[in-house]
Amino acid sequence: MKVARPPRFKVLLYNDDYTPMEFVVGVLENVFGKGPSAATQIMLQIHRSGMGVAGVYVVQVAETKVANVHAMADDRGFPLRAGMEKE
Ligand code: TYC
């Protein structure tokens, strides 16, 4: 019998010129559960390459995390954007 494997989605963060680096590190820590060192590495990789993977989740969790990122960024007036991509 086949076992269902729910599809997983990468949550992506995109670089921009205005969101402070510290804010992105905080988002990676607080929304995506990264430690300070991993959060800093991911932030710098996004800053240098334009985009990066914050985490991989089932669809509902990924959607919630994208919404959380946008709510936190909008609240502070930062243009930080997140997206999703099927793994
Ligand atoms: N490029 C931003 C800066 O120089 C930092 C940044 C990193 C913004 C990652 C968004 O997803 C991002 N302040």
Side-chain angles (χ1 to χ4, degrees):
M1 181 178 149
K2 278 190 182 169
V3 177
R5 280 192 308 111
R8 291 164 70 84
F9 290 80
K10 294 187 257 192
V11 174
L12 310 173
L13 294 183
Y14 296 96
N15 189 38
D16 65 72
D17 290 340
Y18 302 103
T19 304
M21 290 184 171
E22 299 74 20
F23 182 81
V24 179
V25 171
V27 165
L28 286 162
E29 291 176 348
N30 294 308
V31 178
F32 298 97
K34 306 297 181 187
S37 148
T40 302
Q41 282 177 36
I42 294 167
M43 180 282 294
L44 284 174
Q45 191 254 317
I46 299 166
H47 176 70
R48 292 179 184 131
S49 78
M51 185 258 274
V53 179
V56 182
Y57 308 96
V58 295
V59 64
Q60 282 178 331
V61 175
E63 282 172 347
T64 302
K65 288 185 187 291
V66 168
N68 288 344
V69 171
H70 290 164
M72 288 169 70
D74 293 351
D75 189 54
R76 297 288 302 275
F78 297 142
L80 177 65
R81 291 295 94 178
M84 284 165 59
E85 184 182 278
K86 197 155 183 272
E87 202 179 34

